[in-house]
Amino acid sequence: MQYLVASSILLCGLSLARADGLYSDEDMSFVKSAMAVAQESDLALQLVTSLTTEVGPRPAGSAADKAAIQWAKYKLS
């Protein structure tokens, strides 16, 4: 459900930007395709869950902030 809401908001915003001539039909097609792929996967939820449970709150400049950088390098490499 959260993916549907987020995707709808994103698509609405992009549609408004497209009306202003900021995005081409090709750009919009790519975005719609990427959103469809994202809705089929729970990878984003897995990553956010991992970051928030393994690292926790990350105030700027804190030890947890530095730990989050290491977490990202490990998870996203």
Side-chain angles (χ1 to χ4, degrees):
M1 178 66 170
Q2 68 269 21
Y3 296 120
L4 181 58
V5 172
S7 297
S8 297
I9 291 169
L10 178 60
L11 187 56
C12 181
L14 289 174
S15 295
L16 291 173
R18 182 172 177 232
D20 290 338
L22 296 176
Y23 297 102
S24 68
D25 289 340
E26 183 179 350
D27 292 335
M28 292 302 294
S29 177
F30 173 80
V31 168
K32 288 178 184 177
S33 175
M35 286 176 17
V37 169
Q39 289 173 348
E40 305 262 329
S41 171
D42 66 347
L43 178 60
L45 180 59
Q46 289 175 13
L47 289 172
V48 169
T49 300
S50 174
L51 177 61
T52 57
T53 58
E54 294 173 31
V55 178
R58 304 161 305 284
S62 68
D65 184 29
K66 291 175 181 66
I69 293 168
Q70 295 306 312
W71 173 93
K73 287 179 179 179
Y74 173 76
K75 290 285 185 176
L76 304 177
S77 63

